[in-house]
Amino acid sequence: MKKNNVIKWTFLLAAIGVLTLPAQALAGEVYKLGLSLAITGPTSDAGNPYSKGVEDYFNFVNDTKMLGDDKIECTIRDDQYKNDITKRNFEDFLDQGIVFYLNYSTGSTLALKNDFEEEQIPVLPASFHAGNLVDSNYIFLPIASYSAQMIGLTEYVSKNHKGGKPKVAMFIHPSAFGRGPVEDVKKAVAAGLDVEIVEVVEHGKDLDNTAMLKRLSSKGVQYVLSHTVQSPVATMLKDASSLGLVATSFGEEGKITFLGAHYTGGNDLVALAGDSAENFYWTTSYIVTSEPGEGTDLQLALAKKYNRDEKAANSHNYANGMMVAQVATEVIRRAKSKGKEITKETLYEELLGMNGDNAFSPKTTVGDVTFSETDHAGVDTLQLYVVKNSTFMSEGSPFVPEYTDKIK
Amino acid sequence: MSYFFQLVVSGIVVGSIYALSALGFVLIYKSSRVLNIAHGQIIAAGAFITYALTVWVGIPIYLSFGMSMIATFFLAMSVERIFLRRLIGEPIISVIMVTIGLMSILDGLIYLTPFGTENFSFPPYLPTTPITIGGVSISWTQLVGVIITFSMIAGFSWFFKKSTIGISMRAVSDDQMASMAIGISVPRVFGLAWAMAGLSAAAAGGIIGNITGLNFDTLHAFGIVVFPVVILGGLDSIQGAVVAGIIMGLIQQFASGYLDGNWGLNGTGEVMPYIILLIILLFKPHGLFGIHEIERV
């Protein structure tokens, strides 16, 4: 009797196993990814829409079966812009078995650089700091570095300034993030870029920039290139506006033309500075929703599908998050189509092979994403925008800064 | 010379806003000897309430500014009633720790609203052309900010010197036991001090929000930025907060105007106030107007 029971149970379990196997196979693979970023705390005005972009795009990938029956499971965790929490999140993600990691800040990317090397895991941060790439094999910048952006702006000033050598000042965040591009711009100037850097100003939590603006004006500074976040730029623009120092056209004599890199601009700047943001020049590799196109249509449709509000839908940081999710999905898709097992090693190989005919066009950027052994900066192309009637509008065509290569 | 006077005007503008922001610390410390670490969050809440009433509800900004002051008056009073009333008589460090917890709670609550992670600015309601006299400019926003600041400071000074409740509050600050013995309700005084601090915080938030735009990080940081002002003024002196605020504002502007960009110096406007603070505290450890209490054992 006992023996019969054992046989019965064995057959039953075997039958269950046989029946569930195809179901498991049909369910497909689950690829685990992790994103740690500031959804609350400092810079959460950028981190919040960024996380929504990542979340929505991966949901879109799963909902539309872009990877067939396989799914992407991306765990998104708030680190409040604190490096220790980022590290803890990253270690938890590793325990979960992630194959690709999305990071956020410059500070945490630099702090975890050795961990990324040890784990040999490909990483796409939201920080475009060129220093992320020094002594690193596994970090990839989604778009042109802050250095390239600032050099690009300086080149634009040099090419479009009327009169003698243009005098510029740099207005930067007091951190590794802010200081990063300063030396590179100075190197570009030393290599022949025809501008005079009069001063590099590290801002604080200033309520009033009158002293600084008057000082710069008295030294003949006509261009202020900013590399920081929107809030201090907004305060500076408001002060410059009330002092009557803002140029109404590029390079207007006796006035100051304000320009800035990726995190200084976008709709948040207009929200903070109001009318004082008029004629602010801004560069990024992303296409903004005020310039309709295939990528922005996709961005707005995605935001609508997942019930995001207008602010998130139109944020360039939503596009930013969406784009890193696009790149991660693309390398998984490519590895899968080649019949490779999806691991951090194979995804790393696919990233390195993303160049030439295999360059990837996410449509949300002004150029293609290209990576190789020697090039870890994704989109090299930049677009200049200028605020007209509270809207960022394209100024000229997309360009690649010339001096970025000259100073290597 | 107009450059010098421009720096003076800007220094006074910034300094008076520092003084108004510092006032909340002073009012609470003056009556209860507690440093409210969550003051920056109340400043931010005041600014956001003003914005919400103005833009979302459609109330004219002058009215919504006043209404937000009333709202934060009751908000701060409720905070005191719910969280701090039961800590009367407990060690001061426990109360300060509660205000740190309160800071986290308010942070969390604000992050639940769009104000936590989005940026806004007040609709323009003042002329955008600045007032310029002899090459010295001041924007209407700054001028209105200074007028409101000095009116409020004058009002609070009068209140503490002349009104019965104000004098009761000073008495509680001096000696809680003796105040209770003569029939002053110490809990009521504490509640009122918090409420008045809330009121001044909303005013400060509204003014700072008009100048910088509404960004939570920027606004709540002012709770910490004004700390040197509070210390320099002497923690419990309204007059001290005003003088220290203006000193700090002027030092910032002069350092930024005359030192930065010369001799390889940069960011002195941020550092100099702290250096001056340290030097002054070496000679006046209780701040410029702080009371040096002598205890007889």
Side-chain angles (χ1 to χ4, degrees):
Chain A
M1 191 67 179
K2 266 188 181 172
K3 195 179 173 186
N4 280 347
N5 268 347
V6 170
I7 292 166
K8 259 191 218 166
W9 279 109
T10 311
F11 270 107
L12 190 63
L13 285 171
I16 291 167
V18 168
L19 285 170
T20 54
L21 250 177
Q24 277 171 3
L26 278 176
E29 296 283 326
V30 174
Y31 309 123
K32 291 190 174 176
L33 277 71
L35 162 63
S36 178
L37 82 170
I39 299 174
T40 62
T43 76
S44 55
D45 50 351
N48 201 284
Y50 186 94
S51 74
K52 288 171 180 166
V54 171
E55 185 185 349
D56 290 353
Y57 192 77
F58 285 138
N59 282 337
F60 179 70
V61 169
N62 294 337
D63 292 347
T64 57
K65 292 193 175 289
M66 206 182 281
L67 297 173
D69 290 323
D70 296 354
K71 286 194 181 301
I72 291 177
E73 187 182 292
C74 182
T75 309
I76 300 175
R77 282 209 192 144
D78 182 15
D79 59 26
Q80 299 161 35
Y81 207 64
K82 292 175 183 164
N83 293 353
D84 55 328
I85 303 179
T86 312
K87 188 171 168 69
R88 197 165 64 225
N89 287 345
F90 177 63
E91 285 169 355
D92 281 351
F93 294 149
L94 289 175
D95 291 342
Q96 289 173 18
I98 57 165
V99 290
F100 200 103
Y101 177 59
L102 305 174
N103 201 48
Y104 182 70
S105 68
T106 299
S108 63
T109 307
L110 292 173
L112 294 176
K113 196 188 278 185
N114 288 340
D115 300 62
F116 302 149
E117 287 298 302
E118 275 175 27
E119 298 299 332
Q120 301 185 340
I121 187 165
V123 178
L124 275 175
S127 156
F128 317 134
H129 176 52
N132 290 340
L133 305 181
V134 177
D135 298 327
S136 165
N137 293 301
Y138 293 91
I139 299 171
F140 295 82
L141 308 185
I143 64 165
S145 68
Y146 301 132
S147 296
Q149 293 174 31
M150 291 297 272
I151 289 170
L153 290 173
T154 316
E155 282 179 15
Y156 185 82
V157 168
S158 173
K159 283 177 188 164
N160 293 279
H161 174 73
K162 307 256 184 320
K165 188 183 267 196
K167 290 185 172 185
V168 304
M170 294 173 80
F171 181 73
I172 60 161
H173 194 272
S175 65
F177 152 76
R179 289 173 194 140
V182 175
E183 282 312 307
D184 287 331
V185 173
K186 284 181 178 172
K187 277 186 202 166
V189 172
L193 184 50
D194 194 27
V195 301
E196 182 190 344
I197 301 171
V198 176
E199 206 176 303
V200 178
V201 181
E202 288 195 12
H203 67 75
K205 293 193 181 300
D206 302 314
L207 257 186
D208 187 280
N209 294 285
T210 303
M212 179 200 75
L213 288 164
K214 285 269 184 182
R215 185 180 76 239
L216 296 181
S217 181
S218 70
K219 289 180 176 178
V221 169
Q222 265 185 279
Y223 304 93
V224 173
L225 312 179
S226 305
H227 172 49
T228 175
V229 291
Q230 291 105 340
S231 185
V233 176
T235 309
M236 175 173 66
L237 292 177
K238 283 181 165 190
D239 290 336
S241 184
S242 78
L243 290 168
L245 285 174
V246 181
T248 50
S249 60
F250 186 86
E252 186 187 353
E253 213 176 325
K255 300 286 172 79
I256 299 176
T257 303
F258 293 89
L259 308 94
H262 178 90
Y263 283 110
T264 62
N267 293 339
D268 277 318
L269 180 73
V270 177
L272 282 167
D275 293 342
S276 304
E278 284 296 300
N279 297 308
F280 179 78
Y281 287 77
W282 175 56
T283 195
T284 180
S285 297
Y286 292 98
I287 302 171
V288 293
T289 53
S290 49
E291 296 280 328
E294 198 181 338
T296 50
D297 287 349
L298 174 65
Q299 177 183 336
L300 293 172
L302 188 76
K304 193 178 174 190
K305 182 176 167 70
Y306 294 102
N307 299 317
R308 300 302 183 187
D309 59 31
E310 283 289 304
K311 244 183 174 171
N314 288 289
S315 165
H316 66 288
N317 288 312
Y318 183 83
N320 196 350
M322 192 180 145
M323 182 264 196
V324 291
Q326 285 177 299
V327 173
T329 307
E330 180 63 14
V331 286
I332 292 171
R333 192 193 64 75
R334 287 183 183 188
K336 205 169 143 315
S337 69
K338 290 174 188 167
K340 290 179 182 175
E341 189 189 348
I342 305 301
T343 62
K344 49 192 184 182
E345 290 81 13
T346 54
L347 297 186
Y348 179 62
E349 280 168 22
E350 289 305 321
L351 271 176
L352 292 182
M354 196 176 261
N355 53 57
D357 291 342
N358 294 320
F360 170 57
S361 170
K363 314 278 188 215
T364 40
T365 55
V366 288
D368 288 348
V369 181
T370 58
F371 292 122
S372 69
E373 287 277 1
T374 53
D375 170 23
H376 279 215
V379 182
D380 300 323
T381 323
L382 291 164
Q383 174 65 52
L384 192 72
Y385 297 96
V386 59
V387 181
K388 294 287 175 201
N389 299 319
S390 302
T391 307
F392 279 93
M393 304 304 293
S394 291
E395 178 77 9
S397 306
F399 63 100
V400 177
E402 293 166 21
Y403 277 83
T404 335
D405 283 337
K406 288 184 185 174
I407 62 164
K408 270 181 185 169
Chain B
M1 202 59 184
S2 73
Y3 183 60
F4 172 82
F5 285 115
Q6 181 67 65
L7 297 184
V8 171
V9 168
S10 299
I12 292 170
V13 168
V14 172
S16 61
I17 297 165
Y18 283 165
L20 183 59
S21 307
L23 202 57
F25 280 109
V26 173
L27 290 169
I28 292 173
Y29 188 85
K30 201 173 171 62
S31 62
S32 61
R33 304 278 144 182
V34 169
L35 272 178
N36 174 23
I37 308 296
H39 189 61
Q41 276 65 17
I42 301 176
I43 289 177
F48 297 149
I49 293 169
T50 308
Y51 179 88
L53 291 171
T54 308
V55 177
W56 296 348
V57 183
I59 297 169
I61 193 161
Y62 308 101
L63 279 177
S64 50
F65 188 70
M67 287 167 79
S68 86
M69 284 163 67
I70 295 167
T72 48
F73 178 93
F74 287 108
L75 170 75
M77 188 185 255
S78 314
V79 162
E80 191 279 335
R81 186 71 189 84
I82 297 165
F83 297 104
L84 296 149
R85 180 72 56 94
R86 60 197 69 207
L87 289 171
I88 291 175
E90 298 296 327
I92 291 298
I93 189 69
S94 308
V95 188
I96 292 173
M97 289 309 291
V98 167
T99 69
I100 292 174
L102 188 62
M103 180 179 74
S104 293
I105 292 169
L106 290 175
D107 269 349
L109 289 173
I110 291 172
Y111 279 121
L112 289 175
T113 73
F115 295 113
T117 55
E118 291 179 23
N119 296 310
F120 303 87
S121 66
F122 285 110
Y125 62 98
L126 289 167
T128 49
T129 314
I131 303 159
T132 307
I133 302 165
V136 176
S137 300
I138 181 168
S139 71
W140 280 94
T141 311
Q142 290 175 328
L143 182 67
V144 169
V146 170
I147 292 168
I148 292 173
T149 299
F150 280 107
S151 308
M152 288 198 68
I153 287 166
F156 279 121
S157 298
W158 176 88
F159 176 81
F160 277 107
K161 278 193 183 143
K162 303 284 180 190
S163 75
T164 313
I165 306 171
I167 293 165
S168 308
M169 290 172 85
R170 281 164 53 205
V172 171
S173 164
D174 281 346
D175 192 327
Q176 288 182 19
M177 296 303 282
S179 303
M180 279 198 276
I182 59 166
I184 295 172
S185 167
V186 173
R188 198 166 144 245
V189 164
F190 284 2
L192 195 60
W194 273 79
M196 285 164 61
L199 191 131
S200 72
I207 293 165
I208 297 167
N210 263 296
I211 291 171
T212 63
L214 297 168
N215 174 279
F216 182 44
D217 286 336
T218 309
L219 287 167
H220 79 68
F222 269 87
I224 303 300
V225 169
V226 298
F227 222 74
V229 173
V230 180
I231 304 288
L232 182 61
L235 277 166
D236 60 355
S237 165
I238 293 176
Q239 194 187 358
V242 177
V243 174
I246 290 174
I247 288 175
M248 288 296 184
L250 289 171
I251 291 170
Q252 268 194 351
Q253 291 296 315
F254 283 126
S256 178
Y258 289 115
L259 298 179
D260 281 356
N262 296 311
W263 311 291
L265 293 171
N266 200 345
T268 57
E270 287 290 300
V271 180
M272 281 309 281
Y274 289 93
I275 295 173
I276 303 290
L277 172 74
L278 284 173
I279 294 169
I280 292 175
L281 290 182
L282 279 176
F283 298 100
K284 288 188 78 71
H286 298 276
L288 293 173
F289 293 84
I291 296 165
H292 184 189
E293 287 177 359
I294 300 165
E295 285 185 32
R296 294 216 172 102
V297 183

